[in-house]
Amino acid sequence: MTTVFDDAVTRLEKLGSDANISSNVLASLSRPKALLSVSIPVRMDDGSTQYFAAYRCQYSSLLGPCKGGIRFHPNVNQDEVQALALWMTIKCAVVGLPLGGGKGGIEVDPKTLSRMELERLSRGYMRAMADFVGPNKDIPAPDVYTNARIMGWMRDEFEEIKREKQPAVITGKPVNMGGSLGREEATGRGAFYCLEFLRKKEQKQANDLTVAIQGFGNAGYHIAKLMQENGYKIVAISDSKGAIYSEQGLDIASIWQEKQTSKKLRAIYCNGSVCEIQDHKEISHQELLALDVDILVPAALENAITMDNVDTINAKYIIEVANGPISKDADEQLFSNGVVIVPDVLANAGGVIVSYFEWVQNRAGFPWTLDEVQQRLFDRLENAFEEMWLYKKGNDQTSFRSAAYAKALGHIEEVIKVRGTKEFFSDADD
Ligand code: NAD
């Protein structure tokens, strides 16, 4: 069986060789630099002790300290963490950050834990990782089912251990604990900017475009909100439990507000405090992916689209807000069907860009305004998007993903060369 990491490495090798990247460089990027696998004991509220498998992968530090989120999910495993850390390596290089790639995770269903259990687990993770991570080594951040509060607990635990203030050890913290303004919405906002750059190139009007969004968490909600505010019609959204569809369009702010209170995804429209259920249909996860919409936004987990369901996809544009939502073979098929895909390593890079801004602000001890954060995010993504666009134009038959990998791998290759020849590199490919 092909694992998600195998698939990620096969894609790296294919796109790297298409871009004439040295085989030595590709070999060095086909395995992680370091991986720590631990078991975290947690005292549960009933007095028992449970053990949770947890990981941190430092994939590559060629461009700088490793950077990447921590995921809490029942399906977290070493293979997935490695794949996510490989994509972080590419992503940081695509948008020109002086950072390498990392990722971490705990195999847990956080919805089954009390708040105190969740805090003990989060602090236990940082205790286990305290010698592995650090502001100059590896800087974690939030990912699926982790949030600012958890980042705050982890910062606090790290500082207790080190007996000094180290705000830059982790990003995505609460703003009053050294977090950056604009970090929470950054992934969705960055993806929205990428969509807007594409829409303008394709000369489309937002009001004419329909959208389906898979995953209504931090990233999915923020892109949905910005899209609706700017005229796109969101006809369907889903979460882990199901999906809703309304031909006339869904009201994102009301649905989000409802989900925060009832934890349910309901097609609701609120005018002030008066809310009513909207005319809608409940559809399956697969039906949402197959909708005949202009834009599909996968914003949940890996492998939403594989060879098993690729033939059902009808969208003309896909904005990959999730990491790795399309398998390599399915991606190639969609490309040959003419679907335009903005890949994860560009579309969701807003999160790591503003995490980088947070790290810079922490190190400088000088916080930025929200306007500064948003403007710098916009500029960085616009530059990266333009580069991909020009590369695509100059290389007929190329996808945004090929352009992104060519840029990232070319940059890493240059850095390897200027760092000097180490014994494990021959100069045969120079
Ligand atoms: P989150 O925990 O806030 O939300 C995840 C959402 O996905 C939830 O609404 C959950 O119900 C939904 N979901 C889970 N399984 C699903 C399924 N099978 N079908 C439909 N929905 C499902 O997580 P997030 O931070 O929004 O992350 C979502 C994706 O974006 C992940 O792939 C993550 O790696 C990626 N990402 C997040 C960030 C960030 O800053 N948070 C940055 C870059 C990339």
Side-chain angles (χ1 to χ4, degrees), residues 302-317:
E302 301 86 68
N303 281 340
I305 304 173
T306 63
M307 292 311 279
D308 292 339
N309 64 353
V310 67
D311 289 332
T312 68
I313 303 299
N314 283 301
K316 297 162 202 70
Y317 300 93

Side-chain angles (χ1 to χ4, degrees), residues 157-310:
E157 190 65 28
F158 187 80
E159 293 179 338
E160 290 276 317
I161 294 165
K162 302 290 173 185
R163 293 181 176 271
E164 62 181 15
K165 295 295 170 197
Q166 297 260 16
V169 66
I170 201 160
T171 59
K173 300 177 291 289
V175 173
N176 58 13
M177 259 192 90
S180 175
L181 291 171
R183 171 62 186 87
E184 193 160 282
E185 58 155 24
T187 305
R189 177 171 286 275
F192 173 70
Y193 289 158
C194 291
L195 170 63
E196 283 287 274
F197 302 144
L198 178 64
R199 179 181 70 73
K200 286 176 188 153
K201 296 282 187 203
E202 302 265 308
Q203 300 180 339
K204 306 268 185 206
Q205 296 300 318
N207 292 334
D208 298 336
L209 299 171
T210 54
V211 188
I213 300 195
Q214 182 210 35
F216 198 52
N218 174 297
Y221 160 64
H222 284 289
I223 187 173
K225 176 171 168 280
L226 286 165
M227 285 170 98
Q228 191 187 18
E229 284 168 4
N230 286 277
Y232 296 80
K233 193 201 273 187
I234 320 286
V235 293
I237 45 181
S238 65
D239 67 6
S240 60
K241 298 195 197 91
I244 49 178
Y245 171 83
S246 166
E247 198 182 343
Q248 81 225 43
L250 296 161
D251 186 57
I252 299 304
S254 306
I255 296 170
W256 181 250
Q257 189 186 315
E258 168 71 10
K259 191 165 157 70
Q260 299 316 293
T261 44
S262 72
K263 306 279 175 226
K264 295 202 175 84
L265 187 67
R266 299 209 296 161
I268 214 159
Y269 174 74
C270 301
N271 190 353
S273 58
V274 183
C275 298
E276 60 185 44
I277 295 285
Q278 233 189 311
D279 198 17
H280 72 284
K281 279 201 291 198
E282 290 189 0
I283 58 173
S284 69
H285 285 128
Q286 286 304 325
E287 283 171 326
L288 178 138
L289 294 172
L291 284 172
D292 189 7
V293 286
D294 297 293
I295 304 164
L296 177 63
V297 181
L301 297 168
E302 301 86 68
N303 281 340
I305 304 173
T306 63
M307 292 311 279
D308 292 339
N309 64 353
V310 67

